[in-house]
């Protein structure tokens, strides 16, 4: 393939359609977390049972609540309670690293059992109290320390005294002894506890840190029937969303939860400190009602002190290893050359501080938790940082084996203040660009510019990276400087293509983007791949599918047949094909591009990343009606983009997920993704997606019948915004739901013609479908049928048949299409079709069938989270069965008498008979003997 510059943005998947325009760790080259932004926080308060509050109320925004202790742990609490209350149970032990939530979980179990009538005795062990025999158990003995001293030398007397104390305090209740940090108890206390457990006086719930031994007396009690070990898992990203949402009093962006999860590895204690640090530094802020993480999270001094306290007892060799791993990330074990390093690594692994895994260079070591690195680096002198980084860079340089090694060497030298060769910095920036590590690209390009001054190639690298990070305005400023410098033709076109995409990433910037492309094309004698791809993408953003596809057809004819060239064309043509209604071609192209991206690790062609290809496939799957596939692809694309810090792809896929979930009828999820997109667009970028997301939110709220909420969302959308399909749809819905149906009809018919004229058949179909759903099926059915016949799209055909059946009141046709919608996952459309079929059955006096169909409509509507659309509301001629009527009717159909039914449901016989009479009237039947034939739903 000829050596052509392909702009990163030129094959991006964002936004055609409504919009117009186990996680791996982040790449670790160095860590320089800032723990000095704020003064030290006050001591953390204690909660019941001696555990700590995950977030202190007084450090939160006004009115917020402390973290809900059980989030993500409900099943574990229930399991432990069942176990401890079971016959033969003696011991339950919770294992896990510091901060994972063992103590909190134990306290919640104890609280639950106390509420059930148990007595609970909390014991907190510590290294200090371990030097005092029975020191931690003193609170168990009401008579105090003197009584303990009197019996401590007599094991029998001590056991009797402890048994009496437990019996008196329990007052006949089951007794639970809760020991935090069991391995820190003194030997006498451990033996006494084991005796109490063995005698049945108490049951033991204990916590033990990973790597700590279980005391021998407790181990002697262990058997499969009497003891239970629970390894407390870290919290998930979903848990983080729930926890932070409870604490902060509002939804937290999925992106923010993912970043905090990456930074804390699911550790609740570390989450607390990072959330506090982010709040203190104004890096956790609310935008459009959603909490966003803006910039890297920073830890509190409390987190630093907590981590460093665990490292305080390391010997010199162990500390050297930890410091090198903190500064450099993962290192091959054979590159840890200090005396005693290998043995130190073995000890650190056993202590749970370092993990060992296979790598391309053999065994490699890394710190087990991402927060350890920041705390350690923050404690080092600048001279120590410089020395370690330069030593490791020299070692790696002597035996480097890949381009990624070159990148690490340059990054370490840059951290050490010794990277002064602009060519090396520029080369490393290009390597980072190939790996889609946009933050590193921006940093290296800025460093190279700082050494050598501005040049068009370095400014392009910097501007492109800023754009991918969502900073379109900053990118435009940098690219403007690049365009004013003398550059060879190929570089000028690359700058123009990137500048055009930066314009497309700001509100109403599409025409400006096309102007930049047009100006660049005037100076060319031949077709430039990057400019063609950019123009085609902007044309698609403007919903001109025919123009976009024509441009790409020309490009296809000019390129060769290499896998890379085929992948470029396929990635670019997939969405225009989908917009034109060419389903098979669109799916073929999207899958070809994704296969190529996966086979090459997403690095062979700038812009054709795995995240990009997955987003393209998700868009195509949505346009072809494969909602389950679209959801899976878009979710994967979002995760990939978050790892790469690609904010353009991240926002695009958040918005895409809102559309997918709306079509699936999952209105709660659709609303959340719309809010995430709006908030992210305002706080991070690109701002161009704010209007489409606000329009999508309005559609979702209108689908719930929330007219006021939909109007409020639309208030943020500027007039007329007719080029944003979602805005047209949202305004039509608000008009229809507030009594102005003619305006809605006119707007949707005009939009169908406006989007259909330049070939966007998908949007034409969408406008006509909404027209049908708002009560104008007779207007929508003929053009929908013409679309389906023209494109042979199965999705368009289903919409056409649905509209035709609505217009004709065709009960059988409505049931058929309802079942197809349900099978495809489109539950809202299925609910509407079933509701219309029920009305048709009622008009035909098919009363029993009408009730059954209405039951199906109700079932699907309930799954949609409060859907209340016109087709679901038009039920004036149909009175559905109530839940109680269905329940009584089902029992009567089984042959139970009214008295038997009344006894079973705790009702009076008269009430049962009244419900039966109402049921007979609704079903149009005469009595019990016809119930078995009635479909009760």
């Amino acid at each position: 393939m000829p050596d052509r510059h392909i702009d990163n943005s030129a094959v991006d998947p964002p936004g055609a359609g409504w919009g117009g325009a186990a996680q791996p760790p982040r790449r670790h080259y160095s860590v320089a977390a800032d723990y000095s932004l704020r003064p030290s926080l006050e001591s953390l308060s204690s909660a019941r049972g001696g555990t700590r509050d995950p977030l202190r109320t007084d450090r939160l925004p006004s009115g917020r609540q402390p973290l809900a202790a059980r989030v993500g742990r409900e099943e574990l609490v229930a399991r432990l309670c069942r176990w401890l209350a079971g016959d033969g149970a003696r011991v339950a032990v919770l294992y896990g690293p510091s901060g994972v939530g063992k103590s909190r979980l134990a306290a919640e179990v104890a609280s639950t059992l106390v509420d059930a009538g148990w007595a609970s005795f909390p014991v907190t062990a510590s290294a200090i109290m371990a030097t005092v025999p029975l020191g931690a158990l003193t609170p168990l003995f009401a008579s105090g320390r003197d009584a303990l001293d009197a019996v401590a030398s007599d094991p029998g007397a001590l056991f009797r005294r402890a048994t009496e104390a437990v019996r008196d305090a329990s007052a006949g209740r089951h007794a639970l002894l809760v020991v935090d940090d069991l391995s820190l108890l003194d030997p006498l206390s451990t033996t006494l506890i084991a005796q109490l457990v063995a005698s049945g006086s108490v049951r033991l719930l204990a916590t033990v840190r990973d790597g700590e031994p279980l005391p021998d007396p407790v181990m002697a009690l262990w058997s499969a029937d009497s003891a239970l070990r629970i390894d407390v898992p870290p919290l998930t990203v979903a848990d983080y969303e729930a926890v932070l949402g409870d604490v902060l009093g509002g939804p937290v962006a999925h992106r923010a939860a993912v970043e905090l999860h990456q930074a804390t590895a699911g550790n609740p204690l570390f989450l607390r400190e990072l959330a506090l640090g982010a709040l203190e530094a104004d890096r956790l802020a609310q935008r459009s009602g959603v909490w966003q993480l803006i910039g890297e999270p920073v830890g509190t001094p409390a987190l630093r002190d907590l981590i460093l306290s665990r490292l305080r007892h390391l010997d010199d060799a162990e500390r050297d290893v930890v410091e090198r791993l903190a500064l450099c990330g993962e290192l091959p074990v054979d590159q840890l050359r200090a005396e005693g390093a290998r043995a130190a690594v073995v000890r650190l692994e056993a202590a749970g501080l370092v993990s060992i895994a296979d790598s391309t260079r053999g065994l490699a070591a890394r710190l087990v938790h991402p927060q350890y690195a920041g705390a350690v680096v923050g404690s080092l002198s600048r001279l120590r940082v410089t020395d370690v980084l330069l030593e490791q860079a020299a070692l790696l340089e002597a035996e480097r084996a890949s381009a990624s090694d070159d990148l690490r060497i340059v990054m370490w030298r840059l951290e050490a203040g010794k990277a002064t060769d602009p060519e090396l910095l520029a080369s490393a920036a290009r390597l980072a660009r190939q790996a889609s590590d946009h933050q590193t690209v921006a940093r290296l390009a800025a460093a190279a510019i700082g050494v050598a001054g501005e040049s068009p190639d370095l400014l392009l690298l910097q501007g492109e990276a800023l754009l991918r990070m969502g900073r379109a305005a900053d990118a435009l400023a940098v690219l403007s400087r690049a365009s004013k410098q003398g550059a060879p033709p190929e570089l000028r076109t690359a700058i123009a293509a990137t500048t055009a995409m930066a314009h497309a990433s700001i509100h109403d910037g599409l025409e400006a983007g096309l102007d930049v492309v047009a100006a660049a094309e005037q100076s060319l004698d031949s077709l430039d791949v990057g400019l063609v791809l950019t123009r085609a993408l902007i044309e698609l953003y403007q919903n001109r599918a025919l123009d976009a596809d024509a441009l790409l057809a020309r490009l296809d004819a000019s390129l060769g047949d290499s896998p890379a060239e085929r992948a470029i064309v396929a990635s670019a043509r997939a969405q225009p094909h989908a917009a034109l209604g060419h389903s098979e071609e669109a799916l073929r192209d999207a899958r070809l591009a994704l296969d190529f991206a996966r086979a090459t690790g997403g690095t062979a062609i700038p812009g054709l990343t795995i995240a990009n290809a997955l987003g393209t496939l998700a868009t195509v799957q949505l346009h072809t009606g494969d909602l389950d596939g679209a959801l899976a692809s878009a979710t994967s694309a979002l995760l990939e983009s978050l790892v790469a810090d690609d904010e353009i792809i991240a926002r695009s896929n958040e918005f895409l997920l809102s559309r997918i979930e709306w079509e699936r009828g999952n209105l709660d999820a659709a609303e959340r993704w719309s809010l995430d997109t709006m908030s992210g667009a305002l706080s991070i970028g690109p701002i161009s997606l704010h209007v489409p997301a606000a329009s999508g939110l309005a559609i979702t709220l209108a689908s719930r019948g929330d007219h006021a909420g939909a109007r409020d969302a639309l208030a943020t959308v500027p007039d007329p915004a007719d080029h944003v399909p979602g805005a047209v749809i949202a305004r039509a819905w608000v008009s229809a739901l507030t009594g102005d149906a003619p305006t809605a009809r006119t707007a949707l018919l005009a939009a169908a013609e406006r989007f259909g004229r330049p070939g966007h058949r998908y949007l034409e179909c969408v406008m006509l479908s909404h027209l049908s759903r708002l009560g104008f099926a007779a207007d929508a059915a003929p053009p929908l049928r013409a679309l389906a016949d023209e494109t042979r799209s199965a999705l368009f055909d289903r919409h056409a048949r649905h509209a035709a059946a609505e217009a004709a009141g065709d009960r059988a046709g409505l049931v058929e299409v309802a079942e197809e919608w349900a099978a495809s996952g489109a539950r809202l459309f299925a609910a509407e079709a079933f509701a219309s079929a029920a009305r048709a059955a009622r008009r035909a006096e098919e009363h029993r069938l009408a009730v059954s169909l209405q039951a199906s409509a109700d079932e699907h509507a309930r799954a949609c989270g409060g859907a209340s659309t016109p087709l679901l509301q038009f039920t004036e001629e149909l009175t559905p069965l109530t839940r109680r009527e269905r329940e009584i009717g089902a029992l009567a159909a089984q042959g139970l008498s009214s008295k038997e039914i009344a006894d079973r449901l705790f009702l009076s016989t008269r009430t049962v008979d009244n419900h039966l009479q109402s049921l007979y009237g609704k079903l149009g039947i005469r009595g019990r003997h016809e119930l078995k034939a009635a479909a009760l739903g």
Side-chain angles (χ1 to χ4, degrees):
M1 174 182 174
D3 184 16
R4 295 184 174 93
H5 173 87
I6 308 299
D7 178 72
N8 270 24
S9 304
V11 288
D12 283 351
W18 280 8
Q23 279 293 341
R26 290 178 179 276
R27 295 177 184 83
H28 184 122
Y29 304 114
S30 65
V31 176
D34 179 6
Y35 287 93
S36 60
L37 291 174
R38 292 291 185 271
S40 179
L41 300 179
E42 299 91 340
S43 297
L44 298 170
S45 61
S46 296
R48 179 181 54 203
T51 56
R52 293 169 171 169
D53 285 328
L55 283 174
R56 280 191 52 191
T57 308
D58 62 349
R59 307 304 299 171
L60 297 176
S62 175
R64 306 311 183 199
Q65 297 300 316
L67 179 148
R70 292 198 183 193
V71 171
R73 307 297 199 202
E74 295 89 346
E75 291 185 8
L76 275 180
V77 171
R79 180 185 175 191
L80 283 160
C81 288
R82 287 194 301 269
W83 166 263
L84 290 165
D87 293 338
R90 290 181 173 184
V91 180
V93 180
L94 304 177
Y95 279 83
S98 177
V100 79
K102 305 182 299 295
S103 301
R104 170 65 73 173
L105 178 58
E108 283 299 314
V109 172
S111 175
T112 302
L113 291 176
V114 166
D115 290 343
W118 285 49
S120 175
F121 304 98
V123 174
T124 301
S126 68
I128 294 175
M129 294 303 292
T131 63
V132 182
L134 300 176
L137 297 186
T138 301
L140 282 178
F141 301 90
S143 56
R145 183 76 203 181
D146 292 341
L148 275 184
D149 291 339
V151 297
S153 60
D154 184 347
L158 177 62
F159 173 65
R160 288 192 299 272
R161 179 71 186 87
T163 303
E164 291 169 1
V166 170
R167 184 183 62 236
D168 293 344
S170 301
R173 296 171 292 168
H174 292 295
L176 178 69
L177 189 62
V178 184
V179 182
D180 204 13
D181 280 331
L182 177 65
S183 56
L184 295 182
L185 280 180
D186 64 278
L188 185 56
S189 294
T190 304
T191 300
L192 179 57
I193 287 174
Q195 290 173 336
L196 290 171
V197 173
S199 68
S201 300
V202 298
R203 295 190 179 185
L204 174 63
L205 174 61
T207 71
V208 176
R209 294 181 186 178
D210 276 349
E212 296 288 345
L214 197 64
D216 289 340
V218 177
M219 195 66 201
L221 299 170
W222 206 273
S223 72
D225 296 331
S226 65
L228 174 68
R229 170 179 174 144
I230 296 285
D231 291 287
V232 180
L235 295 178
T236 65
V237 171
D239 295 334
Y240 271 34
E241 291 186 24
V243 165
L244 291 168
D246 285 346
V247 171
L248 299 171
V252 175
H254 179 76
R255 167 193 170 280
V258 168
E259 291 213 17
L260 287 168
H261 193 269
Q262 288 175 339
T264 61
N267 187 299
L269 176 60
F270 290 179
L271 169 63
R272 174 186 66 183
E273 299 304 329
L274 248 68
L276 279 175
L279 285 167
E280 289 283 326
D282 296 325
R283 296 189 183 185
L284 189 59
Q286 207 168 21
R287 299 287 188 274
S288 294
V290 177
W291 288 90
Q292 286 282 355
L293 189 64
I294 303 169
E296 293 291 327
V298 293
T300 63
L303 177 57
R304 176 198 60 200
D305 294 343
L306 177 72
I307 293 172
L308 293 180
S309 68
R310 191 175 182 198
L311 306 178
R312 191 171 295 131
H313 302 294
L314 299 181
D315 63 28
D316 291 343
E318 292 164 348
R319 179 167 293 280
D320 181 78
V321 168
V322 167
E323 290 175 356
R324 290 176 188 277
L325 296 179
L327 285 163
C328 300
E330 183 177 277
L331 287 173
V333 172
D334 62 10
Q335 287 185 8
L336 294 168
R337 303 285 177 83
E339 184 178 352
R342 193 174 187 89
V345 170
V346 173
R347 294 193 299 274
L348 289 168
E349 183 184 26
L353 296 174
V354 166
S355 63
I356 306 296
D358 291 326
S359 74
T360 55
R361 292 179 175 273
L363 293 179
R366 68 182 308 143
L367 295 178
V368 297
H369 201 285
Q371 287 308 305
Y372 288 0
V376 171
V377 172
S379 70
L380 299 179
S381 71
R382 182 61 188 166
L383 186 60
R384 173 63 174 166
V385 170
T386 299
D387 288 346
V388 169
L389 288 172
L390 292 179
E391 286 174 19
Q392 294 302 143
L395 283 171
L396 185 59
E397 187 171 32
E399 51 190 69
R400 62 184 180 219
S402 66
S404 63
D405 288 343
D406 292 335
L407 179 56
R408 298 189 88 193
I409 291 166
V410 171
M411 289 301 298
W412 293 345
R413 286 180 171 161
L414 181 60
E415 286 277 347
K418 300 298 182 181
T420 58
D421 185 333
E423 286 302 319
L424 284 177
L425 288 168
S427 176
R430 294 185 187 97
L431 287 172
R433 177 181 184 267
Q434 189 177 35
S436 300
D437 187 357
H438 309 297
Q439 288 190 357
T440 299
V441 173
R443 185 177 177 198
L444 288 167
I449 290 170
V451 173
E454 292 187 345
S455 64
D457 58 332
L458 291 175
L459 289 169
L460 173 60
L461 281 170
Q462 185 182 31
E464 191 177 62
L466 291 170
L467 176 60
R468 306 309 307 182
M469 293 159 64
R471 297 165 56 183
D474 292 339
L476 281 170
V478 170
L479 293 166
S480 175
R481 299 202 302 272
S483 66
K484 294 173 183 177
Q485 300 201 11
E490 187 172 287
L491 190 55
R492 286 202 307 272
T493 59
I495 292 170
T498 308
T499 302
M501 289 311 304
H503 280 295
S505 298
I506 61 176
H507 182 62
D508 280 343
L510 296 178
E511 288 296 341
L514 285 179
D515 289 343
V516 170
V517 172
E521 288 175 334
Q522 289 178 359
S523 63
L524 298 178
D525 297 328
S526 59
L527 202 67
D528 180 85
V529 176
L531 289 177
V532 172
L533 291 172
T534 301
R535 177 183 283 281
L537 187 61
I538 295 178
E539 294 285 4
L540 188 62
Y541 285 171
Q542 293 192 308
N543 305 307
R544 297 195 285 256
L546 283 171
D547 290 345
D549 192 59
L551 284 166
L552 295 170
R554 287 179 56 208
L555 179 64
D556 191 0
S558 71
L559 293 180
D561 290 324
S562 71
E565 289 167 304
R566 294 298 90 210
I568 290 172
V569 173
S571 177
R573 294 198 76 173
Q575 286 195 64
H577 275 315
L580 293 166
H582 303 160
S583 301
E584 291 184 7
E585 296 91 333
L587 286 169
R588 177 202 64 206
D589 285 346
R591 287 175 177 142
L592 188 156
L594 178 58
D595 289 345
F596 179 85
R598 283 176 168 159
T600 58
T603 62
I605 300 172
L608 186 46
T609 63
I610 294 174
N612 228 327
L614 281 166
T616 296
L617 177 59
T619 302
V620 168
Q621 288 168 322
L622 173 64
H623 283 31
T624 56
D626 179 8
L627 297 183
D628 290 342
L631 180 64
S633 298
T635 300
S636 297
L638 178 60
L639 294 176
E640 291 275 351
S641 65
L642 292 177
V643 172
D645 285 322
D646 192 324
E647 299 296 347
I648 289 182
I649 303 299
R651 277 314 76 65
S652 300
N653 280 287
E654 287 170 354
F655 175 60
L656 185 57
L657 282 164
S658 73
R659 294 177 54 203
I660 294 166
E661 292 289 22
W662 181 85
E663 294 229 359
R664 283 165 52 86
N666 193 346
L667 300 185
D668 289 338
E671 180 178 354
R672 279 298 314 276
W673 284 121
S674 291
L675 287 170
D676 268 23
T677 311
M678 293 169 62
S679 174
L682 288 175
S683 58
I684 303 163
I687 191 64
S688 59
L689 281 170
H690 182 268
V691 167
S695 303
L697 176 62
I699 294 170
T700 299
L701 295 174
S703 299
R704 284 201 174 106
D706 183 357
H707 311 160
R711 280 197 298 268
D712 289 345
L714 274 175
T716 67
V717 176
D719 288 327
D722 289 341
H723 62 287
V724 181
V728 176
I729 296 167
R731 288 190 170 125
W733 272 75
V734 170
S735 295
L737 296 179
T738 54
D740 189 4
T743 294
R745 175 181 178 275
T746 300
L748 288 171
L749 282 170
E753 195 277 333
R754 183 167 62 253
F755 293 127
R757 192 185 320 118
H760 209 307
R761 297 295 182 241
Y762 175 77
L763 284 180
E764 184 180 2
C765 176
V766 166
M767 297 300 152
L768 293 171
S769 171
H770 281 280
L771 182 69
S772 176
R773 296 176 64 233
L774 291 178
F776 300 100
D779 293 315
L784 277 171
R785 173 43 54 200
L787 269 180
D789 291 343
E790 173 193 338
T791 62
R792 298 183 181 178
S793 162
L795 177 63
F796 295 3
D797 177 69
R798 191 176 304 143
H799 278 296
R801 287 186 289 112
H802 189 171
E806 288 281 359
D810 176 4
R811 190 260 303 156
L814 286 163
V815 170
E816 180 182 25
V817 78
E819 290 172 346
E820 291 179 22
W821 286 129
S824 73
R827 301 199 73 161
L828 180 56
F829 294 167
E832 291 177 334
F834 275 125
S836 295
R839 289 190 295 276
R842 181 68 181 222
R843 287 193 293 271
E845 298 188 354
E846 298 173 304
H847 300 293
R848 282 174 277 185
L849 181 57
V851 170
S852 177
L853 292 170
Q854 185 62 47
S856 296
D858 293 344
E859 176 188 353
H860 286 289
R862 279 193 298 272
C864 292
S868 182
T869 66
L871 290 179
L872 295 176
Q873 293 171 351
F874 295 158
T875 57
E876 64 279 358
E877 72 267 41
L878 179 63
T879 306
L881 297 182
T882 65
R883 181 187 61 80
R884 181 65 84 182
E885 286 168 349
R886 290 195 188 104
E887 187 176 31
I888 290 173
L891 293 173
Q894 296 173 23
L896 274 68
S897 68
S898 293
K899 185 177 185 308
E900 289 171 328
I901 295 172
D903 291 342
R904 179 173 295 192
L905 300 179
F906 303 100
L907 301 172
S908 69
T909 303
R910 175 175 292 183
T911 298
V912 171
D913 287 336
N914 288 340
H915 279 301
L916 284 171
Q917 290 303 317
S918 174
L919 183 151
Y920 299 156
K922 291 179 180 180
L923 292 180
I925 62 177
R926 290 168 292 183
R928 289 172 179 265
H929 61 286
E930 296 185 35
L931 275 174
K932 289 185 178 180
L936 298 177

